[in-house]
Amino acid sequence: MIRVDNLHRHFGGFRAVDGASLEIAKGSITGLVGPNGAGKTTLFNVIAGALPPTSGRVYMDGEDITGLPPHELFHKGLLRTFQIAHEFSSMTCRENLMMVPGGQSGETLWNAWIGRGRIAREEAVLLKKADEVLDFLTISHLKDERAGNLSGGQKKLLELGRTMMVDAKIVFLDEVGAGVNRTLLNTIGDAILRLNKERGYTFCMIEHDMDFIGRLCDPVIVMAEGHVLAKGTIEEIKANEQVIEAYLGTGLKNKDQVGA
Amino acid sequence: MDLLNAIVALSNFVLIPAIAYGSQLALGALGVTLIYGILRFSNFAHGDTMAFGTMSAILFTWWLQSLGVSLGPLPTALLAIPAGIAGAAALVLLTDRGVYRFYRAQKAKPVILVIVSMGVMFIYNGVVRLIVGPGDQNFADGERFLISARTFRDLTGLEEGLAIRTTQALTVVTAVIVVALLFWFLNRTRTGKSMRAYSDNEDLALLSGINPERVVLVTWLIVAALATVAGVLYGLDKTFKPFTYFQLLLPIFASAIVGGLGNPIGAIAGGFIVAFSEVGITYAWKKVLNHALPESLAPDGLVQLLSTDYKFAVSFVILVIVLLFRPTGLFRGKSV
Amino acid sequence: GSHATEAKIGVILGFTGPIESLTPMMADSAELAMKEVNESGKFLDGVTLVPVRADSTCVDSAAATAAAERLVTTDGVVAIMGADCSGVTGAILANVAVANGIPMVSPSATSPALSTAEDNGLFFRTAPSDARQGVVLAEILKARGINEVAVTYSNSDYGKGLADSFAAAYAEMGGSITLNAPHEDNKADYSAEIAALASAGGEALMVLGYADSGGRGMIQASVDTGAFDVFGLGDGMYGDALVDALGGSMEDSFGAVPWSEGDGADAFKTITDAAGINGESSFTRESYDAAALIALAMAKGGEATSAAVAANLLDVANAPGEPILPGELGKALEILAAGGDIDYVGASSVELIGPGEAAGSYRYYEIKDGGYSTVEFK
Amino acid sequence: MNPSVRTWVMFALVSALILGTGFFQSWNSALLILNMGLVSAVMALGVNLQWGIAGLFNVGVMGFVALGGLAVVLISVPPVTEAWAAGGGRLIGALLLGLAVIAAAVQAWKRLSGVLRGWAMAGLLIVGFFVYRAVLDPAVEAIESVNPAATGYLGGLGLPVLLSWPVGGLLAAGAAWVIGKTALGLRSDYLAIATLGIAEIVIAILKAEDWLARGVKNVIGLPRPVPYEIDLQNDPAFVDRAAGFGLDATTASTVYVKLGYSVLFAAVLIVLLVLAQLALKSPWGRMMRAIRDNETAARAMGKNVTARHLQVFVLGSAICGIAGAMMTTLDGQLTPISYQPLRFTFLVWVMVIVGGSGNNLGAVLGGFLIWFLWVQVEPFGQWIMTVVTSGMADGNALKAHLLDSVQHMRLLTMGVILLLVLRFSPRGLLPER
Amino acid sequence: MSGNPYQDDRGNRDLSITNPKGIGEIDGTRKSGAARPAPGGPFLIGEAMTGGYGRGADILHGCTIAVEKGQIAVIVGPNGAGKSTAMKAVFGMLDLRAGHVRLDGEDITALTPQARVAKGMAFVPQTNNIFTSLTVQENLEMGAFLRDDDFRGTMEQVFELFPILRDKRRQPAGELSGGQRQQVAVGRALMTRPKVLMLDEPTAGVSPIVMDELFDRIIEVARTGISILMVEQNARQALEIADKGYVLVQGGNAFAGTGKELLADAEVRRSFLGG
Ligand SMILES: Nc1ncnc2c1ncn2[C@@H]1O[C@H](COP(=O)(O)OP(=O)(O)OP(=O)(O)O)[C@@H](O)[C@H]1O
Ligand SMILES: Nc1ncnc2c1ncn2[C@@H]1O[C@H](COP(=O)(O)OP(=O)(O)OP(=O)(O)O)[C@@H](O)[C@H]1O
Ligand SMILES: [Mg+2]
Ligand SMILES: [Mg+2]
């Protein structure tokens, strides 16, 4: 689905992404973990077109998508959420969702002036869909609330909800779980699984919660200092000495001992 | 000999005027750039701040002149600069107290401050005209020339003259001194460093115990001083008229942006770039070429790239080119 | 109405804007004429002229039109002394004056285009159209044996129009212009213009601009760099302030200014000095004359109405009749009251021709010993 | 206050001000204020589209307004046939050549790479410039020497003046497209300074290029879309009808003509306002708000932010161009030196901010209110100063000074109003939400 | 966007008129209130703090955090729990609606952050915690801004603590790597010679080796008698060196105890320490 080839992204002299190569298989839920500052978000930003790479290539279904602007990637079916929620704060939750689908006829001015009827029909469909998504995310009571007033967790849900408004091929999730309470996180996990199974979404997610990763992801990629440190199933990763050293820490061993 | 004439002509009509004008613009642009760097907005009222400071200095100069005070060959207005600075400082501090401070407390976005400064611009505009009127005020006295074109010709026997005005020399000297002082202040003194720190990161500066309000106060004081010095020197060299000072805003902005907003070195470089491009690109090379080239090659036409109608366009075209290829201006890297 | 004891006259000048530094003196001069009329006590059985000022802004046609509209429809002015800049003058003329039948006498709108504007016989000006002045200046250069000059003009309809007419006349007489470059008024720096002009060279620099604005800036820049030693000056450049400010550098320069042979200008200086008004500034003479003509036309028509002004203005301005100088408005009123004829000469030697504009008699002057000295009248 | 009530109250207030002018000054004055108010409202609408809806800071309103004015000349003035014969064709050729050179240079920049690229582009531009000048200069000279005192330019197309309004919009839109393409395409915006500069350049061209619209010599006597007062006054039928209303012919004709303009302007304003409101209340408006709230997220959600910004910038500028054409039509003349930033850029900004950024009705309100004040501060100021100074002795220097300075109250008042509104009602008199 | 109309920039990003770099969030125009004596209690305590940002909803709900002299207190908790907010509250960077902050026998609730610096508190924010355009040395000098005495000794100490900074002292701090930046940030805070050092996630974005190093240094600093209050995501290591640990959840205290106690608590381990 996505192939990243020796990708570099430097900020001045600082190498945030430093020769990362990885592959995300179609239909998988790939986990991306790594210490703070490993370059995960930066990698996402480069893949999703928010930042141009310093060097390296990104392919999607064999097509070179390096450096394409985000809005074009969106239309190719590549979506992403943000680590720090990027809601449209002055708009209601419903509007936040309804604005997502591309190719709305009402988004061209000409139609906005003369195609009111068609727009009204499209809007009705969008509205229904948005409400379904809000229901699904258990925040339908907030549909007319300004998104800026939501709690951090709710904003995260809304971000996820946006990806559900369209038929995405691949969704990049940046720490969806952060700041979301555990019960809700389970719901989100279920949603991700369902989208993956029923709609065939491919996911790539950054997450620090190893339980959550363990439940959803196969494979897991570990990044450190801008490059890929390891890749494998969650078990393999948990057992990888390098990973333990760089990311998981010795604490995990203790846990295994205690658990045993 | 002819080459010498060519050089003299070029110096007289391009180099010296552009250096003097460039220094004036640089001093103005420094004020704009300091506010941009530290208070974070482009101050549309800067031209009128210059006008107010200059007006204060003029009023004081007149009073001094009426007392019979004089500086001999130097303009009396130099003595009045401190009074002018005091006037401008009082004005900007009052404005800060009554206007800007509120928005700072609100943590208003810089673009709001830009709009606020438009309002302030209107008010300053009116105030200056109410006090001194809209007319031309001539307040220069003393010797106009260090060396006049005629004297130079007589002295050297060259065909071309070279004139250096007292005010030009003063402007350049003052600009050098002021710039040196400013750099020394910003880079060496505690207060100066605290200003750079505040410019870099407001919150962290505050957490280091730097009083932000003091930084703001000092910034305004420096800006008032720069504006007044620039305005007085300009007024001495040319003439004072409120409308002209408002119009100065445009080349000053162009200078500050070409150089890289927020960067003092950039402001200075920008001032000279704008001045040189205004004077240089529209310069008719005929005279210089006539001197420099042998008779047979001497041009018929003016050899002028662009007519002077478009001299203002020149600085903006340069601005656009610079921004296209170096979006942050010529000198980014180090800001204030 | 004709039996009102007050007749209002609009004084519409650019009190703010680019020529805001000239207009106060112009207004003062115009009001001086009205005061003189009032104080004579001989105006239409005790009708008092009341000036009403309004701001033309010089550049903002809409604001100028609004101001004129207010004067005409609210204050009820019967005539307008103004406006100043050609642009706003044209706008007021087309949108207010013609529509309401209000005569306008402009002291300073010199644009040749105004000669052909649709005015319904309502537009007059005491400033001559630039067409004539161009010829006069060219003749002066010829007389001085100057065959090659550089020209700089204020980038306005005034400057450009004058420069065009001068260029045409001069070329016809065989003179050559090395460079004809505009300068913007109120700008920061004129080094570029002077550099180009100096490079082009010439025996003199013709400065067709304003004495307290760009024109002066250009001379200053020229003197400062030694680019030119001799300057030929258009009428906008006349003024003691210029000579005072630039001192000896102006020596041997020359120019033309609308002026009559005789004592008009001197008389004007006497009365302005007495009134404590700066009468040496640009267009003060024309302003005085504009206001005086309005009053005299009313007197001639026997009523303080717009129609009287429009109908009689040319009549009082031109021969035949007793010549009238500034300060003699009382005498003129007496003659008119007695049914006599006058030929208003005024401060600028008014002679209105054709479509109601000054024919322009010019004083050709030189600057000698730091003062103006007349060479001849043309 | 409920927003819609507030809107009604505010508009009632402005209407009252204009009606008051009618009652206390004259209906002619009131109508004139109304007409320029309508034009100002259109300008404010344009700027509001840019600033209020997309946060684009356009400080070059003046330039677009001037382009609209130019359109009036180019469309409505009859062509000067001698001038066309003298050099029209050559001139058009030169302009096309200029465009071709620029296009070639851009292509060179795009196609080539490495060191060659810069040199090729520079070379093309420099050579092209001289060739262009070589063709252009003689043509210009020929055109400008055709009766310079009265014409000296190519004239226009001699088409109905109303056609110039949309054309003014198109001209402004074209300029805006070039500016936007450049300034919005940079890594971050540099729109403010770009517009500030381009506006000056537009004015410089208008002043310097006599063949285009007589430069600073002005084009006066532009055709009108409404009858001339004089013709009405000379039309017995009209005079009779006026008498039927109890009006004298002069008043009736002036009011009639002004009403004619009012109707035309109001029609334009209403159409634009309706279009703007429809756009704002559609998915397009939602998308624009999303972009304003969070550009990064909007990009990630497939919205082409740069294209939208460009679109809004072009549209807003076009509206300013239309307003400029309307204004020049009302003035009946094009006077390039009258374009001053204080009046045409900053004052329009005051209108938008005071009215309420982001709210189209607010911008319209601001247009009316600020224009009213711009015109009326002068007589009010005079009146206030007279009252203030009435206690002073006649010869008092201060009194004379104050009375002489009333005109400068205008700028002061604008500043004070802007600051007061920003401070106490930061979202403007009619807030967006 | 907080709904404050003065902060509504309509998404304008025009760099030719606005300079968004380094804008802060703390209102620096406020006048400081007075400190009142309040003897007893821990050395530094933020007690029952309730409040939030601006006019927004409360983020802290009766949250209490304390540290004794020379000890290390660590705050852990999920993202968005309000850990950083609690730190800011203790430092006076947001208005408390209820609760007090006391330092060394004084109630300093009314003091502005600047005034608290003068009282001997130092704070290293989670992000943007160095002056990127200033050199390393100037960064440290800024830390000593309030000191009138000769601070060269303290700077020596900082250089001894973080030797790498000595080599880079003439280099703009913005050119340093993440770990080095973090050292500069801590060094700057130490330059004030604080009584209390507050650190918000000092090890974020720092490689594990540097992290261990930093923890060692922090222990060293504590040994000199400076109290340390810090937020940590690397909760396990942090709690190991902590004298006192707090678990914040949704703005309130969920658990508190010594570091060892929390580490031993199964519930805490499961919910917050990732197992
Ligand atoms: N715009 C930028 N300019 C300069 N440096 C940056 C920029 N964005 C990221 N970095 C640096 O790049 C490095 C990698 O950042 P990134 O956000 O990708 O980390 P991450 O792996 O997502 O970490 P976390 O788990 O904390 O989210 C960090 O050290 C960061 O400081
Ligand atoms: N400046 C602010 N204005 C308004 N709300 C804010 C602000 N900063 C943080 N918040 C909100 O306060 C809540 C707590 O944030 P805080 O930064 O204290 O969390 P935290 O516990 O430090 O999380 P992390 O571990 O991610 O740093 C979050 O919901 C956040 O959205
Ligand atoms: Mg990240
Ligand atoms: Mg935090």
Side-chain angles (χ1 to χ4, degrees), chain B residues 36 40 42 101 105-109 111-112 190 193-194 196-197 200-204 207-208 213 261, chain E residues 4 7 15-19 21-26 29 117 128-129 132-133 138 141-142 145 188:
Chain B
Y36 180 89
R40 303 194 148 71
S42 282
R101 190 171 189 272
Q106 294 289 337
K107 290 281 148 200
K109 286 284 165 60
V111 71
I112 303 293
R190 217 166 73 109
K193 284 181 189 175
S194 75
R196 283 168 55 216
D200 188 298
N201 188 332
E202 279 180 22
D203 277 358
L204 195 60
L207 291 175
S208 306
E213 286 304 284
L261 267 169
Chain E
N4 180 337
Q7 286 174 10
L15 289 189
S16 61
I17 47 170
T18 60
N19 170 12
K21 197 177 127 273
I23 286 185
E25 288 172 2
I26 314 170
T29 62
V117 175
N128 295 325
N129 51 19
T132 48
S133 65
E138 283 170 337
E141 284 172 17
M142 283 304 115
F145 187 78
R188 182 204 61 83

Side-chain angles (χ1 to χ4, degrees), chain A residues 50-70:
Chain A
L51 289 174
T54 308
S55 69
R57 303 265 112 200
V58 182
Y59 301 92
M60 178 173 173
D61 288 334
E63 182 191 349
D64 190 345
I65 57 164
T66 321
L68 285 188

Side-chain angles (χ1 to χ4, degrees), chain D residues 204-346:
Chain D
I205 292 176
L206 268 190
K207 281 181 178 173
E209 303 305 323
D210 283 11
W211 56 267
L212 186 61
R214 282 176 49 79
V216 291
K217 290 185 294 186
N218 309 335
V219 181
I220 64 171
L222 294 172
R224 278 180 172 191
V226 295
Y228 286 87
E229 290 90 345
I230 293 296
D231 297 341
L232 293 176
Q233 286 163 20
N234 295 336
D235 174 6
F238 180 83
V239 176
D240 282 350
R241 255 191 302 151
F245 287 102
L247 292 171
D248 67 281
T250 308
T251 314
S253 65
T254 49
V255 168
Y256 180 86
V257 167
K258 290 195 180 71
L259 275 176
Y261 278 118
S262 307
V263 170
L264 288 172
F265 291 168
V268 173
L269 177 63
I270 288 169
V271 168
L272 290 176
L273 188 61
V274 167
L275 289 181
Q277 289 294 67
L278 280 179
L280 208 55
K281 298 244 150 59
S282 72
W284 183 86
R286 185 168 64 208
M287 171 175 61
M288 293 314 300
R289 273 187 293 144
I291 290 175
R292 204 173 72 189
D293 273 3
N294 195 323
E295 251 178 55
T296 322
R299 273 184 221 278
M301 293 301 118
K303 311 303 176 201
N304 187 347
V305 174
T306 314
R308 291 307 127 224
H309 275 169
L310 187 62
Q311 180 186 34
V312 168
F313 181 65
V314 167
L315 279 178
S317 303
I319 294 181
C320 290
I322 295 175
M326 287 160 56
M327 194 187 72
T328 300
T329 310
L330 181 67
D331 288 346
Q333 58 179 4
L334 179 72
T335 45
I337 60 162
S338 70
Y339 294 101
Q340 297 280 333
L342 216 51
R343 159 71 180 87
F344 286 102
T345 295
F346 295 113

Side-chain angles (χ1 to χ4, degrees), chain C residues 331-345:
Chain C
K331 178 176 124 195
L333 291 172
E334 244 169 59
I335 298 173
L336 289 173
D341 260 336
I342 58 164
D343 171 13
Y344 182 74
V345 173

Side-chain angles (χ1 to χ4, degrees), chain B residues 89-101:
Chain B
L91 180 79
V92 291
L93 291 183
L94 211 71
T95 313
D96 187 69
R97 226 24 201 353
V99 183
Y100 294 119
R101 190 171 189 272

Side-chain angles (χ1 to χ4, degrees), chain C residues 264-292:
Chain C
D266 297 338
F268 181 66
K269 184 158 170 47
T270 316
I271 61 169
T272 47
D273 284 352
I277 291 171
N278 175 2
E280 293 292 337
S281 176
S282 299
F283 303 119
T284 46
R285 288 173 298 278
E286 289 82 355
S287 303
Y288 175 90
D289 289 347

